[in-house]
Amino acid sequence: MADYRTIDAGIGARSSAHIDAGLRTHMNKVYGTMSVGLLITALAAWAIANLAVTSTPTELMFREGQYLTGLGQALYTSPLKWVVMFAPLGMVFAFGAAVNRLSAAGAQTFFYAFAALMGVSISSIFLVYTGVSITQTFLVTSISFAGLSIFGYTTKKDLSGMGTFLMMGLIGLIVASIANIFLGSGMLSFAISVIGVLIFAGLTAFDTQKIKNDYIAHAHAMDSTWLAKSAIMGALKLYLDFINMFMFLLNLLGNRN
């Protein structure tokens, strides 16, 4: 007579192995999509920054020997700069509201469009900071992000309790950042950058664990559409963690032109 406990254990082991393999595929999709988004952002920011300045004299000098083109003046000195600044935030909320109605391909296209718009929004960093400091800060961010994401993926500690605290901190950070646009306080800017790095460091670990746990929780009842959309939403979360951590670190570590 068959030992059903042995059979059940064998089925359970195969099921667990199947989930582990699926989880690795899922996380590779998340990180791959996120990486493509970061590449699009970097290329868009670099391209716009190069189109925004010229050596040909115009009515607005940027610095010695360089002048803002019509595009540069529109993006950085006209009221359009406020639209460009806050448009990515609006797209994040729109994406969250529309993702259930979008196909997987539509959601991915939306994410890549968002990444391009983010590149336009942060393109001024190539005019404000030296190329060396941007590269160095990107490497520091990459190493930090990788370590934090690995921690979030491998730790046995439940990080869900951090979520509410981090989201409250994020809301306060956004309010303080908007206020400082008008106040222009150097001390407040420094404090915002330090707190911002800490918040997004915590969110990197928290979001990585949540992406992993969401997959495991739905592993027995998922479909390909859910899987694809879940990977894109996970990529968006980690993308935002990376970009924000990079920008705050750049404000702290970057050398200005």
Side-chain angles (χ1 to χ4, degrees), residues 205-254:
F206 170 79
D207 285 335
T208 301
Q209 186 181 78
K210 190 172 188 307
I211 293 167
K212 174 185 175 181
N213 290 343
D214 284 348
Y215 178 91
I216 294 173
H218 294 84
H220 298 289
M222 68 178 60
D223 58 40
S224 58
T225 300
W226 181 92
L227 186 63
K229 288 186 180 181
S230 177
I232 295 165
M233 287 299 295
L236 174 62
K237 290 177 182 179
L238 293 181
Y239 168 93
L240 289 171
D241 294 337
F242 186 101
I243 285 290
N244 281 285
M245 189 157 53
F246 167 75
M247 293 299 293
F248 285 123
L249 280 172
L250 188 61
N251 194 43
L252 291 172
L253 306 176

Side-chain angles (χ1 to χ4, degrees), residues 103-126:
S103 65
Q108 188 168 44
T109 300
F110 195 110
F111 171 67
Y112 290 151
F114 165 78
L117 182 59
M118 180 64 80
V120 177
S121 181
I122 67 172
S123 60
S124 61
I125 65 172
F126 286 100

Side-chain angles (χ1 to χ4, degrees), residues 17 19-31 153 215:
I19 291 173
D20 288 343
L23 178 59
R24 288 193 294 271
T25 301
H26 182 68
M27 295 304 295
N28 286 337
K29 174 68 173 178
V30 169
Y31 289 121
Y153 186 85
Y215 178 91

Side-chain angles (χ1 to χ4, degrees), residues 29-172:
K29 174 68 173 178
V30 169
Y31 289 121
T33 303
M34 170 199 158
S35 298
V36 173
L38 289 173
L39 179 60
I40 291 172
T41 298
L43 292 175
W46 178 82
I48 292 297
N50 277 275
L51 292 173
V53 295
T54 179
S55 58
T56 303
T58 65
E59 62 185 31
L60 189 58
M61 178 184 287
F62 172 63
R63 56 174 170 252
E64 186 66 31
Q66 288 189 313
Y67 303 83
L68 288 180
T69 63
L71 176 64
Q73 293 176 45
L75 289 178
Y76 307 136
T77 66
S78 76
L80 180 62
K81 68 181 181 181
W82 300 109
V83 177
V84 173
M85 184 183 300
F86 291 108
L89 183 62
M91 282 192 74
V92 169
F93 289 119
F95 190 34
V99 67
N100 290 330
R101 299 191 299 272
L102 292 172
S103 65
Q108 188 168 44
T109 300
F110 195 110
F111 171 67
Y112 290 151
F114 165 78
L117 182 59
M118 180 64 80
V120 177
S121 181
I122 67 172
S123 60
S124 61
I125 65 172
F126 286 100
L127 307 183
V128 176
Y129 298 97
T130 65
V132 172
S133 66
I134 291 173
T135 302
Q136 290 175 338
T137 304
F138 180 83
L139 291 175
V140 170
T141 306
S142 299
I143 294 169
S144 302
F145 178 89
L148 290 161
S149 194
I150 290 171
F151 169 76
Y153 186 85
T154 59
T155 184
K156 302 300 182 182
K157 182 179 180 180
D158 183 7
L159 303 179
S160 59
M162 297 171 51
T164 302
F165 174 77
L166 290 170
M167 290 308 299
M168 290 176 62
L170 179 58
I171 292 171

